[in-house]
Structures are given as structure tokens and as C-alpha cells.
Amino acid sequence: MTTTITEPPGRTERAATTTAKTPRRATSARRRGDRRFVAACLLPALALFLLFMIWPTLNVFRMSLYTWSGFSPQMRFVGLDNFAKLLDDEQFLRAFQNTVALLVVVTVVTMGLGLGLAALMTRQKLPGRNLYRFLLYIPNVLSVVVIAAIFSAVYDQENGLINGTLRALSLDGLQQVWLGDQKLVLYSVAFAMLWQSLGYYMVIYMASMASIPEELYEASALDGASAGRQFFAVTLPLIWETLRTTLTFFILSAINLSFVLVRAMTGGGPDGASDVLLNYMYQQAYTNSSYGYGMAIGVVVFAFSFFVSLLVSRATRRPPLQY
């Protein structure tokens, strides 16, 4: 006689459900542990970002509404008066014009030469191109202060490289006071900015161009496209996203670069001819003891940088190309 043991109704289903829920609970617990770990890793960086980036930026906006010498404990709230004074400040307007001029000229020349040299190094079999790339990249390795010292020596009126070379070639009439002439000083600073930045962006564009399949150039060559046509029809569209990124990055970094070079080479002179926004802000906040007024200039720099970045991003937007 055979005895059959029958499970109580529902016990089998409950056991299967419990078994299915166990891996889910383990997975959920693992995910919570991963989130805690990621949060623990991000928290120090986030705290430093808030402490040294967000709070100082907000403090600049707050201090722009006050009149304060920077040393006295007395602060007086003046609202938007500091910004109203900027509109009547001729030196501020001059510094703003110089900043815009440097951004436009140096950005156009740097991006244009960087693209041209990158295409030349990548598409043409130049002898010693690795040496050229190395020599062009060296300035980016040097400190900006070192570059300012180098060009201060190069532009020296008596013993500088340029005037010394002109004197040796009996071209004394072409000698100039490169950092003392109001008509030339801004171009002298612009050339130093170009020399410092060109190699870096050339290398970035070379890396981007090297990833373009050779078959695209071969196909365009079979269609009769010249080297120039290939650059504008093949190379430029396929590295457009890289160009957009570097363009925005250069504009933002050029604002800081111009300040360091101007501060170290000319101090804004002669007679404010080479002054830029950040240098004028520094003078007002830390030299003329007009800290609130200087912070108002800082707010203008912040808004200007944000507006230019947004404008460039919108103006250069296009559907990405894939290959």
C-alpha cells in the first residue's frame, strides 16, 4: 500500500515566491551599498566644490552690492550703484573693449592656425613633423608667468631680441617701444597669447583628425577633390564637435590668460592702453581699496563669460556627423 504525502495548499507557491524574493532583496541591498559608496566618494569633492567655487562666486555677487575698502569692518549697502558707476567709467569701458578685441583676434588666429597646422601635419608627409609638433607644444608646458618674462625680454626697447635683431640688420628705423606704445602694446600681448596657446590646440586637432578614416579621403580624391576641398568638406565637418569644445574652452581661458600676461608684462599700461577686465578688477579691489566696485566688475566678467559661451555654443550647434 502506497502512502502519498500531499503538501498543504499554497506551501509550494509560498516557497517559490520566497526563493524569488531573496535574490531581489540581495540585489536591492547591493545597489543601496553601491549608492552609499558613490556618495561617500563624491561628498569630499562636492564639499570642496561648494566651499571654493560656489560660495566665493555667490559672495562676489553679494559684495558687489556694498561699498567696502576691503580692510575696514564697516560695509555700506549701495544696491546697484556700483554697476551704475561702471557705465560712466571710461577706463572700465576701455578695459572691456581691450578684452573683447583680444578675444576676437587671438581666438580667430589661434583656431585658424591650429586647424591649418594640424591639417598640414596630419595630411602632408612633412620631414621632421614630430620635431615641429614638439617645438610648437613647448610654450604650453611653460608657466604663463615665465612666458610673460620671456616676452618682456623679447620686447625690451634696448636689449630685446626684436630691436636687437633690427639693429644688427641696420634697420634702426623699424625699432619700436613694443610695450610702451599705446598703438602696439595690445598687439604685443596678443602675440604672446597666440604663442602660448597655438601648440596645445594644434595637438588636439591633430588627434581628432587622425581618427578620420583614410577611406573618406580616398573617395573624395577619386571624385576630384583637392586638398583644400577635402579640408572643408571632410575634415572640418568631422571634427566639428572638437572645434566647438575647444572654442568655448579657449574663450574662457583667454580671459584669464590675458590678465596674467597683462599684469606681468605691462600692468595695464601705458596709460591703461593694455588694460583688461580682470586686471582692472584687481586694481580696483586690491590696489585702490574699492573692493565692492571691484566685485561689481567681477560680476560683469562672470556674466560676459557666460553670455559668450552660450552664444558660441548656440552659433556653432549642428547635427553630429558619424563615420
Side-chain angles (χ1 to χ4, degrees), residues 23-305:
R24 294 179 183 175
R25 291 174 180 173
T27 303
S28 178
R30 190 182 305 112
R31 289 177 178 173
R32 286 196 298 269
D34 292 343
R35 293 192 189 100
R36 294 192 190 100
F37 176 75
V38 172
C41 292
L42 292 178
L43 188 59
L46 180 61
L48 291 175
F49 181 75
L50 292 173
L51 181 62
F52 294 104
M53 291 294 296
I54 301 300
W55 168 246
T57 301
L58 295 177
N59 197 46
V60 168
F61 282 84
R62 183 178 69 88
M63 293 305 304
S64 66
L65 304 177
Y66 289 84
T67 293
W68 185 41
S69 66
F71 302 98
S72 171
Q74 297 180 353
M75 298 170 54
R76 185 167 60 90
F77 181 80
V78 295
L80 299 178
D81 287 356
N82 286 329
F83 296 95
K85 287 171 58 178
L86 290 176
L87 300 177
D88 298 324
D89 189 341
E90 294 184 1
Q91 188 54 40
F92 166 77
L93 297 177
R94 190 175 190 182
F96 187 85
Q97 291 174 354
N98 290 342
T99 302
V100 173
L102 285 175
L103 286 180
V104 173
V105 173
V106 179
T107 300
V108 171
V109 176
T110 301
M111 298 295 106
L113 283 179
L115 285 169
L117 289 173
L120 188 64
M121 298 284 187
T122 305
R123 301 299 307 156
Q124 303 297 325
K125 298 185 181 299
L126 295 177
R129 60 180 178 178
N130 289 331
L131 176 62
Y132 300 147
R133 179 168 54 184
F134 171 74
L135 293 176
L136 287 170
Y137 189 76
I138 283 179
N140 190 257
V141 179
L142 300 176
S143 167
V144 180
V145 177
V146 173
I147 292 175
I150 291 174
F151 275 91
S152 294
V154 168
Y155 290 137
D156 187 82
Q157 182 180 357
E158 299 296 332
N159 302 313
L161 177 63
I162 298 178
N163 283 350
T165 302
L166 293 173
R167 193 180 305 114
L169 296 175
S170 300
L171 299 174
D172 296 21
L174 297 179
Q175 295 183 60
Q176 303 289 337
V177 185
W178 302 100
L179 298 179
D181 190 332
Q182 295 189 21
K183 297 180 180 179
L184 297 175
V185 63
L186 206 60
Y187 295 102
S188 301
V189 174
F191 184 78
M193 293 175 62
L194 171 65
W195 189 78
Q196 192 274 340
S197 306
L198 179 59
Y200 175 76
Y201 292 95
M202 180 197 72
V203 170
I204 292 180
Y205 296 144
M206 286 182 66
S208 185
M209 291 177 187
S211 64
I212 300 176
E214 186 65 26
E215 292 81 3
L216 296 178
Y217 291 104
E218 293 175 356
S220 61
L222 291 176
D223 290 337
S226 62
R229 180 62 178 171
Q230 287 179 339
F231 175 79
F232 289 102
V234 179
T235 304
L236 197 57
L238 292 179
I239 67 167
W240 188 257
E241 289 302 312
T242 302
L243 179 61
R244 286 188 66 203
T245 302
T246 55
L247 186 59
T248 303
F249 176 74
F250 179 77
I251 290 174
L252 295 178
S253 62
I255 295 176
N256 297 319
L257 177 62
S258 63
F259 163 63
V260 177
L261 290 176
V262 165
R263 191 69 195 169
M265 292 172 60
T266 67
D271 195 25
S274 63
D275 218 353
V276 291
L277 283 176
L278 285 180
N279 186 63
Y280 190 59
M281 181 195 77
Y282 179 87
Q283 291 175 346
Q284 295 299 316
Y286 301 105
T287 303
N288 297 340
S289 298
S290 300
Y291 193 82
Y293 190 61
M295 293 306 98
I297 301 175
V299 172
V300 173
V301 174
F302 179 87
F304 174 72
S305 302

